[in-house]
Amino acid sequence: MARVLADQSRMSGLEKAAVLMISLGPEISAAMVRQLDETNVERLAAEVASTKSVDMETRKEVLEEFRDMCVAFDYVARGGIDYARSVLEKAVGRQEAEEILSRLNSRFQQRPFEFARRASVDQLLSFLEGEHPQTIALTLCHLSPGQAAAILAELPPEQQATVAKRIANIERISPEAIALVEQALREKLSSYEGQHVNISGGVDAIVDILNRVDRTTEKAILDRLAQNDPDLAEEIKERMFVFEDIVFLDDRAIQRVLREVSPRDVALALKTASEDVANVIFQNMSSRAADALKEDLEVMGPVRLREVEEAQGRIVNIIRRLDELGEIVIARGGEDTVVV
């Protein structure tokens, strides 16, 4: 049953996390979900779904607590716990400073840019867009080699050499400089100042979040919810659009989608698709295109499941985008849904 949350002082950590996700919106919340284990994701998803709305005062207090923890963590990264305590005591007083620091507990030992190492390459690219080459170079030095290589490969050609040279020339950077760059990037992720209105959670909120996570995460969450709360899982599924739901689109919508999708993605997506999905796609292609696709499927060797899911995800994102633009209509469940 949906609840209205109020009085932040009596809220559990799980309730605060749900308020934070609702307040930050689906894009950032989806990024947060990807960093959690399955058990915590399931608990958090259920909490978000059961939270009908959050009053403005509670939202403000939870966001302020989150901000205080981010600021305190930044001070710890700059000069250690004693430095953080000294600065915070001057800013908010001894008692509140100790309360803020106590919430961070084991996080004191996290390395700089820990949040960035947990982010996807696409997220990091969006964080670094428009940044100075020195900032990009410093960030890449603190990522895993795989992440750094993937990001470097996606930078504009004229910027790649510049960033590579700066990385090669970086020897020692002051903790203050590192902390400033890290904080600037974190603020891009944590920009949660929104409109001064009540924020709604509930099933719509968790559906919006799940529609933006990868297929593996989405399936894991729904499978676990189905075991513990089958009614909630079914309600969420009815409101979501997944790749297999392409069979519910009308022919004109499917043809519109196929014009946006690369042939390679269609072939990959059909590797694990049902016969019904394959048939509806073949039926909405020209005979030549359908024959070419079937031939591609026959000669295509083994591919990783992740590649298939990523291709399906890209197609679903195109479908959702066209739906948002009003060019097609998605049937999200219900026998009387009309697709035009």
Side-chain angles (χ1 to χ4, degrees), residues 19-25 28 32 56 59-71 183 186-196 199:
V19 170
L20 184 63
M21 287 186 68
I22 292 169
S23 302
L24 293 179
I28 295 177
M32 293 169 58
M56 188 59 207
R59 172 177 175 260
K60 179 181 177 182
E61 290 178 3
V62 169
L63 290 173
E64 285 179 348
E65 179 179 329
F66 176 65
R67 179 202 61 201
D68 289 344
M69 292 178 67
C70 289
V71 170
Q183 181 64 19
R186 183 184 285 115
E187 285 175 357
K188 285 191 175 182
L189 176 64
S190 305
S191 57
Y192 46 73
E193 292 299 328
Q195 298 179 347
H196 297 287
I199 304 297

PDB file of all heavy atoms in Angstrom, residues 19-25 28 32 56 59-71 183 186-196 199:
ATOM      1  N   VAL A  19      13.487   8.266  -0.671  1.00  0.00           N
ATOM      2  CA  VAL A  19      13.213   9.691  -0.886  1.00  0.00           C
ATOM      3  C   VAL A  19      14.285  10.303  -1.789  1.00  0.00           C
ATOM      4  O   VAL A  19      13.991  11.091  -2.690  1.00  0.00           O
ATOM      5  CB  VAL A  19      13.159  10.444   0.460  1.00  0.00           C
ATOM      6  CG1 VAL A  19      13.110  11.956   0.233  1.00  0.00           C
ATOM      7  CG2 VAL A  19      11.946  10.005   1.264  1.00  0.00           C
ATOM      8  N   LEU A  20      15.535   9.916  -1.555  1.00  0.00           N
ATOM      9  CA  LEU A  20      16.629  10.442  -2.360  1.00  0.00           C
ATOM     10  C   LEU A  20      16.458  10.051  -3.821  1.00  0.00           C
ATOM     11  O   LEU A  20      16.601  10.884  -4.726  1.00  0.00           O
ATOM     12  CB  LEU A  20      17.960   9.915  -1.825  1.00  0.00           C
ATOM     13  CG  LEU A  20      19.228  10.446  -2.510  1.00  0.00           C
ATOM     14  CD1 LEU A  20      19.353  11.941  -2.327  1.00  0.00           C
ATOM     15  CD2 LEU A  20      20.467   9.732  -1.972  1.00  0.00           C
ATOM     16  N   MET A  21      16.129   8.783  -4.082  1.00  0.00           N
ATOM     17  CA  MET A  21      15.943   8.326  -5.457  1.00  0.00           C
ATOM     18  C   MET A  21      14.790   9.056  -6.128  1.00  0.00           C
ATOM     19  O   MET A  21      14.886   9.481  -7.279  1.00  0.00           O
ATOM     20  CB  MET A  21      15.700   6.819  -5.481  1.00  0.00           C
ATOM     21  CG  MET A  21      16.933   5.988  -5.184  1.00  0.00           C
ATOM     22  SD  MET A  21      16.635   4.222  -5.383  1.00  0.00           S
ATOM     23  CE  MET A  21      16.412   4.123  -7.156  1.00  0.00           C
ATOM     24  N   ILE A  22      13.691   9.205  -5.409  1.00  0.00           N
ATOM     25  CA  ILE A  22      12.521   9.893  -5.962  1.00  0.00           C
ATOM     26  C   ILE A  22      12.867  11.342  -6.282  1.00  0.00           C
ATOM     27  O   ILE A  22      12.474  11.891  -7.312  1.00  0.00           O
ATOM     28  CB  ILE A  22      11.349   9.818  -4.973  1.00  0.00           C
ATOM     29  CG1 ILE A  22      10.854   8.373  -4.847  1.00  0.00           C
ATOM     30  CG2 ILE A  22      10.210  10.734  -5.412  1.00  0.00           C
ATOM     31  CD1 ILE A  22       9.879   8.166  -3.705  1.00  0.00           C
ATOM     32  N   SER A  23      13.655  11.968  -5.405  1.00  0.00           N
ATOM     33  CA  SER A  23      13.986  13.379  -5.572  1.00  0.00           C
ATOM     34  C   SER A  23      14.985  13.620  -6.687  1.00  0.00           C
ATOM     35  O   SER A  23      14.922  14.636  -7.375  1.00  0.00           O
ATOM     36  CB  SER A  23      14.554  13.938  -4.255  1.00  0.00           C
ATOM     37  OG  SER A  23      13.639  13.790  -3.191  1.00  0.00           O
ATOM     38  N   LEU A  24      15.915  12.695  -6.867  1.00  0.00           N
ATOM     39  CA  LEU A  24      16.945  12.877  -7.881  1.00  0.00           C
ATOM     40  C   LEU A  24      16.451  12.603  -9.288  1.00  0.00           C
ATOM     41  O   LEU A  24      17.080  13.003 -10.260  1.00  0.00           O
ATOM     42  CB  LEU A  24      18.150  11.983  -7.581  1.00  0.00           C
ATOM     43  CG  LEU A  24      18.939  12.318  -6.321  1.00  0.00           C
ATOM     44  CD1 LEU A  24      20.084  11.328  -6.134  1.00  0.00           C
ATOM     45  CD2 LEU A  24      19.482  13.735  -6.372  1.00  0.00           C
ATOM     46  N   GLY A  25      15.338  11.876  -9.418  1.00  0.00           N
ATOM     47  CA  GLY A  25      14.795  11.585 -10.736  1.00  0.00           C
ATOM     48  C   GLY A  25      15.307  10.270 -11.298  1.00  0.00           C
ATOM     49  O   GLY A  25      16.288   9.704 -10.812  1.00  0.00           O
ATOM     50  N   ILE A  28      19.378   9.697 -12.781  1.00  0.00           N
ATOM     51  CA  ILE A  28      20.418   9.538 -11.770  1.00  0.00           C
ATOM     52  C   ILE A  28      20.122   8.328 -10.893  1.00  0.00           C
ATOM     53  O   ILE A  28      21.028   7.591 -10.493  1.00  0.00           O
ATOM     54  CB  ILE A  28      20.546  10.816 -10.923  1.00  0.00           C
ATOM     55  CG1 ILE A  28      21.031  11.979 -11.794  1.00  0.00           C
ATOM     56  CG2 ILE A  28      21.508  10.609  -9.763  1.00  0.00           C
ATOM     57  CD1 ILE A  28      21.120  13.302 -11.082  1.00  0.00           C
ATOM     58  N   MET A  32      22.343   5.024  -9.809  1.00  0.00           N
ATOM     59  CA  MET A  32      22.546   4.570  -8.435  1.00  0.00           C
ATOM     60  C   MET A  32      22.209   3.094  -8.296  1.00  0.00           C
ATOM     61  O   MET A  32      22.935   2.333  -7.647  1.00  0.00           O
ATOM     62  CB  MET A  32      21.664   5.394  -7.484  1.00  0.00           C
ATOM     63  CG  MET A  32      22.053   6.852  -7.366  1.00  0.00           C
ATOM     64  SD  MET A  32      20.801   7.830  -6.508  1.00  0.00           S
ATOM     65  CE  MET A  32      20.695   6.985  -4.936  1.00  0.00           C
ATOM     66  N   MET A  56       7.446  18.402   0.974  1.00  0.00           N
ATOM     67  CA  MET A  56       8.589  19.227   0.599  1.00  0.00           C
ATOM     68  C   MET A  56       9.605  19.334   1.719  1.00  0.00           C
ATOM     69  O   MET A  56      10.821  19.313   1.479  1.00  0.00           O
ATOM     70  CB  MET A  56       8.095  20.634   0.202  1.00  0.00           C
ATOM     71  CG  MET A  56       9.178  21.515  -0.377  1.00  0.00           C
ATOM     72  SD  MET A  56       9.904  20.773  -1.863  1.00  0.00           S
ATOM     73  CE  MET A  56      11.533  21.505  -1.817  1.00  0.00           C
ATOM     74  N   ARG A  59      11.653  16.085   1.965  1.00  0.00           N
ATOM     75  CA  ARG A  59      12.561  16.020   0.814  1.00  0.00           C
ATOM     76  C   ARG A  59      13.753  16.943   1.036  1.00  0.00           C
ATOM     77  O   ARG A  59      14.909  16.561   0.801  1.00  0.00           O
ATOM     78  CB  ARG A  59      11.808  16.417  -0.446  1.00  0.00           C
ATOM     79  CG  ARG A  59      12.697  16.576  -1.682  1.00  0.00           C
ATOM     80  CD  ARG A  59      11.840  16.898  -2.895  1.00  0.00           C
ATOM     81  NE  ARG A  59      12.670  17.176  -4.053  1.00  0.00           N
ATOM     82  CZ  ARG A  59      12.972  18.389  -4.491  1.00  0.00           C
ATOM     83  NH1 ARG A  59      12.503  19.452  -3.863  1.00  0.00           N
ATOM     84  NH2 ARG A  59      13.734  18.560  -5.552  1.00  0.00           N
ATOM     85  N   LYS A  60      13.489  18.151   1.504  1.00  0.00           N
ATOM     86  CA  LYS A  60      14.552  19.124   1.731  1.00  0.00           C
ATOM     87  C   LYS A  60      15.541  18.622   2.773  1.00  0.00           C
ATOM     88  O   LYS A  60      16.764  18.718   2.589  1.00  0.00           O
ATOM     89  CB  LYS A  60      13.949  20.458   2.187  1.00  0.00           C
ATOM     90  CG  LYS A  60      14.985  21.533   2.469  1.00  0.00           C
ATOM     91  CD  LYS A  60      14.297  22.814   2.938  1.00  0.00           C
ATOM     92  CE  LYS A  60      15.332  23.876   3.306  1.00  0.00           C
ATOM     93  NZ  LYS A  60      14.675  25.112   3.822  1.00  0.00           N
ATOM     94  N   GLU A  61      15.030  18.037   3.859  1.00  0.00           N
ATOM     95  CA  GLU A  61      15.900  17.567   4.931  1.00  0.00           C
ATOM     96  C   GLU A  61      16.759  16.383   4.475  1.00  0.00           C
ATOM     97  O   GLU A  61      17.947  16.305   4.809  1.00  0.00           O
ATOM     98  CB  GLU A  61      15.063  17.178   6.157  1.00  0.00           C
ATOM     99  CG  GLU A  61      14.427  18.371   6.857  1.00  0.00           C
ATOM    100  CD  GLU A  61      13.557  17.955   8.030  1.00  0.00           C
ATOM    101  OE1 GLU A  61      13.512  16.752   8.326  1.00  0.00           O
ATOM    102  OE2 GLU A  61      12.946  18.836   8.653  1.00  0.00           O
ATOM    103  N   VAL A  62      16.165  15.471   3.714  1.00  0.00           N
ATOM    104  CA  VAL A  62      16.928  14.316   3.237  1.00  0.00           C
ATOM    105  C   VAL A  62      18.018  14.767   2.264  1.00  0.00           C
ATOM    106  O   VAL A  62      19.168  14.305   2.325  1.00  0.00           O
ATOM    107  CB  VAL A  62      15.994  13.291   2.562  1.00  0.00           C
ATOM    108  CG1 VAL A  62      16.804  12.231   1.819  1.00  0.00           C
ATOM    109  CG2 VAL A  62      15.103  12.625   3.598  1.00  0.00           C
ATOM    110  N   LEU A  63      17.680  15.682   1.362  1.00  0.00           N
ATOM    111  CA  LEU A  63      18.664  16.188   0.407  1.00  0.00           C
ATOM    112  C   LEU A  63      19.767  16.963   1.108  1.00  0.00           C
ATOM    113  O   LEU A  63      20.942  16.884   0.724  1.00  0.00           O
ATOM    114  CB  LEU A  63      17.987  17.065  -0.647  1.00  0.00           C
ATOM    115  CG  LEU A  63      17.086  16.324  -1.637  1.00  0.00           C
ATOM    116  CD1 LEU A  63      16.341  17.313  -2.523  1.00  0.00           C
ATOM    117  CD2 LEU A  63      17.892  15.364  -2.492  1.00  0.00           C
ATOM    118  N   GLU A  64      19.409  17.704   2.162  1.00  0.00           N
ATOM    119  CA  GLU A  64      20.432  18.444   2.919  1.00  0.00           C
ATOM    120  C   GLU A  64      21.365  17.478   3.636  1.00  0.00           C
ATOM    121  O   GLU A  64      22.576  17.711   3.706  1.00  0.00           O
ATOM    122  CB  GLU A  64      19.762  19.392   3.915  1.00  0.00           C
ATOM    123  CG  GLU A  64      19.150  20.621   3.253  1.00  0.00           C
ATOM    124  CD  GLU A  64      18.460  21.529   4.258  1.00  0.00           C
ATOM    125  OE1 GLU A  64      18.263  21.096   5.422  1.00  0.00           O
ATOM    126  OE2 GLU A  64      18.112  22.661   3.872  1.00  0.00           O
ATOM    127  N   GLU A  65      20.813  16.392   4.171  1.00  0.00           N
ATOM    128  CA  GLU A  65      21.663  15.390   4.816  1.00  0.00           C
ATOM    129  C   GLU A  65      22.607  14.765   3.791  1.00  0.00           C
ATOM    130  O   GLU A  65      23.796  14.559   4.061  1.00  0.00           O
ATOM    131  CB  GLU A  65      20.807  14.304   5.470  1.00  0.00           C
ATOM    132  CG  GLU A  65      21.637  13.221   6.145  1.00  0.00           C
ATOM    133  CD  GLU A  65      20.786  12.159   6.813  1.00  0.00           C
ATOM    134  OE1 GLU A  65      19.663  12.491   7.271  1.00  0.00           O
ATOM    135  OE2 GLU A  65      21.229  10.994   6.872  1.00  0.00           O
ATOM    136  N   PHE A  66      22.078  14.451   2.622  1.00  0.00           N
ATOM    137  CA  PHE A  66      22.901  13.883   1.552  1.00  0.00           C
ATOM    138  C   PHE A  66      23.998  14.855   1.148  1.00  0.00           C
ATOM    139  O   PHE A  66      25.166  14.468   0.976  1.00  0.00           O
ATOM    140  CB  PHE A  66      21.995  13.551   0.361  1.00  0.00           C
ATOM    141  CG  PHE A  66      22.727  13.033  -0.847  1.00  0.00           C
ATOM    142  CD1 PHE A  66      23.398  11.826  -0.809  1.00  0.00           C
ATOM    143  CD2 PHE A  66      22.736  13.763  -2.028  1.00  0.00           C
ATOM    144  CE1 PHE A  66      24.075  11.345  -1.931  1.00  0.00           C
ATOM    145  CE2 PHE A  66      23.404  13.287  -3.148  1.00  0.00           C
ATOM    146  CZ  PHE A  66      24.072  12.075  -3.096  1.00  0.00           C
ATOM    147  N   ARG A  67      23.635  16.118   1.009  1.00  0.00           N
ATOM    148  CA  ARG A  67      24.626  17.146   0.664  1.00  0.00           C
ATOM    149  C   ARG A  67      25.700  17.258   1.740  1.00  0.00           C
ATOM    150  O   ARG A  67      26.904  17.323   1.440  1.00  0.00           O
ATOM    151  CB  ARG A  67      23.940  18.499   0.480  1.00  0.00           C
ATOM    152  CG  ARG A  67      24.887  19.648   0.139  1.00  0.00           C
ATOM    153  CD  ARG A  67      24.267  20.973   0.496  1.00  0.00           C
ATOM    154  NE  ARG A  67      23.990  21.049   1.931  1.00  0.00           N
ATOM    155  CZ  ARG A  67      23.119  21.888   2.467  1.00  0.00           C
ATOM    156  NH1 ARG A  67      22.415  22.693   1.683  1.00  0.00           N
ATOM    157  NH2 ARG A  67      22.915  21.909   3.769  1.00  0.00           N
ATOM    158  N   ASP A  68      25.278  17.270   3.010  1.00  0.00           N
ATOM    159  CA  ASP A  68      26.235  17.366   4.109  1.00  0.00           C
ATOM    160  C   ASP A  68      27.223  16.205   4.085  1.00  0.00           C
ATOM    161  O   ASP A  68      28.420  16.384   4.336  1.00  0.00           O
ATOM    162  CB  ASP A  68      25.504  17.386   5.451  1.00  0.00           C
ATOM    163  CG  ASP A  68      24.745  18.683   5.687  1.00  0.00           C
ATOM    164  OD1 ASP A  68      25.027  19.668   4.977  1.00  0.00           O
ATOM    165  OD2 ASP A  68      23.870  18.705   6.574  1.00  0.00           O
ATOM    166  N   MET A  69      26.721  15.007   3.790  1.00  0.00           N
ATOM    167  CA  MET A  69      27.607  13.842   3.729  1.00  0.00           C
ATOM    168  C   MET A  69      28.596  13.958   2.571  1.00  0.00           C
ATOM    169  O   MET A  69      29.769  13.603   2.700  1.00  0.00           O
ATOM    170  CB  MET A  69      26.777  12.566   3.618  1.00  0.00           C
ATOM    171  CG  MET A  69      25.987  12.247   4.874  1.00  0.00           C
ATOM    172  SD  MET A  69      24.973  10.762   4.701  1.00  0.00           S
ATOM    173  CE  MET A  69      26.232   9.498   4.579  1.00  0.00           C
ATOM    174  N   CYS A  70      28.123  14.471   1.427  1.00  0.00           N
ATOM    175  CA  CYS A  70      29.022  14.658   0.282  1.00  0.00           C
ATOM    176  C   CYS A  70      30.102  15.684   0.607  1.00  0.00           C
ATOM    177  O   CYS A  70      31.288  15.499   0.289  1.00  0.00           O
ATOM    178  CB  CYS A  70      28.235  15.110  -0.944  1.00  0.00           C
ATOM    179  SG  CYS A  70      27.186  13.840  -1.663  1.00  0.00           S
ATOM    180  N   VAL A  71      29.693  16.788   1.260  1.00  0.00           N
ATOM    181  CA  VAL A  71      30.651  17.829   1.629  1.00  0.00           C
ATOM    182  C   VAL A  71      31.658  17.287   2.632  1.00  0.00           C
ATOM    183  O   VAL A  71      32.866  17.501   2.508  1.00  0.00           O
ATOM    184  CB  VAL A  71      29.914  19.055   2.210  1.00  0.00           C
ATOM    185  CG1 VAL A  71      30.908  20.039   2.811  1.00  0.00           C
ATOM    186  CG2 VAL A  71      29.089  19.747   1.125  1.00  0.00           C
ATOM    187  N   GLN A 183      35.093  16.885  -6.723  1.00  0.00           N
ATOM    188  CA  GLN A 183      33.866  17.530  -6.284  1.00  0.00           C
ATOM    189  C   GLN A 183      33.088  18.114  -7.448  1.00  0.00           C
ATOM    190  O   GLN A 183      31.857  18.021  -7.503  1.00  0.00           O
ATOM    191  CB  GLN A 183      34.186  18.630  -5.267  1.00  0.00           C
ATOM    192  CG  GLN A 183      32.967  19.363  -4.705  1.00  0.00           C
ATOM    193  CD  GLN A 183      32.062  18.451  -3.904  1.00  0.00           C
ATOM    194  OE1 GLN A 183      32.490  17.377  -3.467  1.00  0.00           O
ATOM    195  NE2 GLN A 183      30.824  18.845  -3.716  1.00  0.00           N
ATOM    196  N   ARG A 186      31.424  15.289  -9.180  1.00  0.00           N
ATOM    197  CA  ARG A 186      30.351  14.732  -8.358  1.00  0.00           C
ATOM    198  C   ARG A 186      29.128  15.636  -8.371  1.00  0.00           C
ATOM    199  O   ARG A 186      27.990  15.169  -8.351  1.00  0.00           O
ATOM    200  CB  ARG A 186      30.841  14.529  -6.924  1.00  0.00           C
ATOM    201  CG  ARG A 186      29.777  13.881  -6.020  1.00  0.00           C
ATOM    202  CD  ARG A 186      30.224  13.768  -4.578  1.00  0.00           C
ATOM    203  NE  ARG A 186      31.180  12.697  -4.406  1.00  0.00           N
ATOM    204  CZ  ARG A 186      32.440  12.882  -4.049  1.00  0.00           C
ATOM    205  NH1 ARG A 186      32.901  14.100  -3.865  1.00  0.00           N
ATOM    206  NH2 ARG A 186      33.252  11.861  -3.893  1.00  0.00           N
ATOM    207  N   GLU A 187      29.371  16.948  -8.409  1.00  0.00           N
ATOM    208  CA  GLU A 187      28.239  17.880  -8.413  1.00  0.00           C
ATOM    209  C   GLU A 187      27.395  17.729  -9.668  1.00  0.00           C
ATOM    210  O   GLU A 187      26.184  17.956  -9.645  1.00  0.00           O
ATOM    211  CB  GLU A 187      28.752  19.311  -8.280  1.00  0.00           C
ATOM    212  CG  GLU A 187      29.203  19.647  -6.855  1.00  0.00           C
ATOM    213  CD  GLU A 187      29.826  21.030  -6.761  1.00  0.00           C
ATOM    214  OE1 GLU A 187      29.962  21.699  -7.815  1.00  0.00           O
ATOM    215  OE2 GLU A 187      30.171  21.435  -5.632  1.00  0.00           O
ATOM    216  N   LYS A 188      28.040  17.335 -10.783  1.00  0.00           N
ATOM    217  CA  LYS A 188      27.264  17.085 -11.999  1.00  0.00           C
ATOM    218  C   LYS A 188      26.299  15.928 -11.782  1.00  0.00           C
ATOM    219  O   LYS A 188      25.177  15.933 -12.287  1.00  0.00           O
ATOM    220  CB  LYS A 188      28.200  16.769 -13.173  1.00  0.00           C
ATOM    221  CG  LYS A 188      28.910  17.979 -13.744  1.00  0.00           C
ATOM    222  CD  LYS A 188      29.604  17.625 -15.058  1.00  0.00           C
ATOM    223  CE  LYS A 188      30.222  18.839 -15.710  1.00  0.00           C
ATOM    224  NZ  LYS A 188      30.852  18.512 -17.013  1.00  0.00           N
ATOM    225  N   LEU A 189      26.761  14.931 -11.049  1.00  0.00           N
ATOM    226  CA  LEU A 189      25.923  13.769 -10.784  1.00  0.00           C
ATOM    227  C   LEU A 189      24.887  14.069  -9.720  1.00  0.00           C
ATOM    228  O   LEU A 189      23.788  13.541  -9.742  1.00  0.00           O
ATOM    229  CB  LEU A 189      26.796  12.588 -10.340  1.00  0.00           C
ATOM    230  CG  LEU A 189      26.081  11.310  -9.918  1.00  0.00           C
ATOM    231  CD1 LEU A 189      25.331  10.714 -11.108  1.00  0.00           C
ATOM    232  CD2 LEU A 189      27.066  10.296  -9.364  1.00  0.00           C
ATOM    233  N   SER A 190      25.268  14.922  -8.775  1.00  0.00           N
ATOM    234  CA  SER A 190      24.430  15.118  -7.598  1.00  0.00           C
ATOM    235  C   SER A 190      23.674  16.437  -7.623  1.00  0.00           C
ATOM    236  O   SER A 190      23.313  16.971  -6.587  1.00  0.00           O
ATOM    237  CB  SER A 190      25.294  15.052  -6.331  1.00  0.00           C
ATOM    238  OG  SER A 190      26.016  13.864  -6.272  1.00  0.00           O
ATOM    239  N   SER A 191      23.458  16.994  -8.824  1.00  0.00           N
ATOM    240  CA  SER A 191      22.711  18.253  -8.907  1.00  0.00           C
ATOM    241  C   SER A 191      21.235  17.964  -8.726  1.00  0.00           C
ATOM    242  O   SER A 191      20.544  17.607  -9.660  1.00  0.00           O
ATOM    243  CB  SER A 191      22.964  18.936 -10.249  1.00  0.00           C
ATOM    244  OG  SER A 191      22.628  18.071 -11.297  1.00  0.00           O
ATOM    245  N   TYR A 192      20.781  18.053  -7.520  1.00  0.00           N
ATOM    246  CA  TYR A 192      19.420  17.624  -7.210  1.00  0.00           C
ATOM    247  C   TYR A 192      18.504  18.778  -6.825  1.00  0.00           C
ATOM    248  O   TYR A 192      17.442  18.570  -6.255  1.00  0.00           O
ATOM    249  CB  TYR A 192      19.447  16.622  -6.048  1.00  0.00           C
ATOM    250  CG  TYR A 192      20.323  17.034  -4.888  1.00  0.00           C
ATOM    251  CD1 TYR A 192      19.950  18.051  -4.028  1.00  0.00           C
ATOM    252  CD2 TYR A 192      21.534  16.399  -4.683  1.00  0.00           C
ATOM    253  CE1 TYR A 192      20.758  18.415  -2.986  1.00  0.00           C
ATOM    254  CE2 TYR A 192      22.353  16.765  -3.634  1.00  0.00           C
ATOM    255  CZ  TYR A 192      21.962  17.772  -2.785  1.00  0.00           C
ATOM    256  OH  TYR A 192      22.777  18.140  -1.742  1.00  0.00           O
ATOM    257  N   GLU A 193      18.961  20.026  -7.112  1.00  0.00           N
ATOM    258  CA  GLU A 193      18.064  21.132  -6.803  1.00  0.00           C
ATOM    259  C   GLU A 193      16.898  21.118  -7.781  1.00  0.00           C
ATOM    260  O   GLU A 193      17.079  21.217  -8.985  1.00  0.00           O
ATOM    261  CB  GLU A 193      18.806  22.461  -6.912  1.00  0.00           C
ATOM    262  CG  GLU A 193      19.873  22.650  -5.847  1.00  0.00           C
ATOM    263  CD  GLU A 193      19.316  22.643  -4.444  1.00  0.00           C
ATOM    264  OE1 GLU A 193      18.171  23.088  -4.277  1.00  0.00           O
ATOM    265  OE2 GLU A 193      20.023  22.185  -3.534  1.00  0.00           O
ATOM    266  N   GLY A 194      15.730  20.955  -7.298  1.00  0.00           N
ATOM    267  CA  GLY A 194      14.556  20.865  -8.164  1.00  0.00           C
ATOM    268  C   GLY A 194      13.516  21.899  -7.832  1.00  0.00           C
ATOM    269  O   GLY A 194      13.744  22.831  -7.070  1.00  0.00           O
ATOM    270  N   GLN A 195      12.356  21.732  -8.382  1.00  0.00           N
ATOM    271  CA  GLN A 195      11.258  22.645  -8.126  1.00  0.00           C
ATOM    272  C   GLN A 195      10.732  22.444  -6.724  1.00  0.00           C
ATOM    273  O   GLN A 195      10.810  21.361  -6.163  1.00  0.00           O
ATOM    274  CB  GLN A 195      10.130  22.396  -9.130  1.00  0.00           C
ATOM    275  CG  GLN A 195      10.557  22.658 -10.569  1.00  0.00           C
ATOM    276  CD  GLN A 195       9.427  22.387 -11.522  1.00  0.00           C
ATOM    277  OE1 GLN A 195       8.423  21.789 -11.166  1.00  0.00           O
ATOM    278  NE2 GLN A 195       9.603  22.817 -12.753  1.00  0.00           N
ATOM    279  N   HIS A 196      10.193  23.502  -6.139  1.00  0.00           N
ATOM    280  CA  HIS A 196       9.713  23.455  -4.768  1.00  0.00           C
ATOM    281  C   HIS A 196       8.282  22.934  -4.729  1.00  0.00           C
ATOM    282  O   HIS A 196       7.328  23.650  -4.450  1.00  0.00           O
ATOM    283  CB  HIS A 196       9.804  24.846  -4.135  1.00  0.00           C
ATOM    284  CG  HIS A 196      11.208  25.350  -4.053  1.00  0.00           C
ATOM    285  ND1 HIS A 196      12.134  24.857  -3.160  1.00  0.00           N
ATOM    286  CD2 HIS A 196      11.871  26.269  -4.798  1.00  0.00           C
ATOM    287  CE1 HIS A 196      13.298  25.476  -3.318  1.00  0.00           C
ATOM    288  NE2 HIS A 196      13.159  26.336  -4.310  1.00  0.00           N
ATOM    289  N   ILE A 199       7.152  15.739  -4.325  1.00  0.00           N
ATOM    290  CA  ILE A 199       7.629  14.788  -5.317  1.00  0.00           C
ATOM    291  C   ILE A 199       6.908  13.468  -5.109  1.00  0.00           C
ATOM    292  O   ILE A 199       6.831  12.961  -3.994  1.00  0.00           O
ATOM    293  CB  ILE A 199       9.146  14.567  -5.173  1.00  0.00           C
ATOM    294  CG1 ILE A 199       9.875  15.906  -5.281  1.00  0.00           C
ATOM    295  CG2 ILE A 199       9.643  13.595  -6.222  1.00  0.00           C
ATOM    296  CD1 ILE A 199       9.715  16.578  -6.624  1.00  0.00           C
TER     297      ILE A 199
END
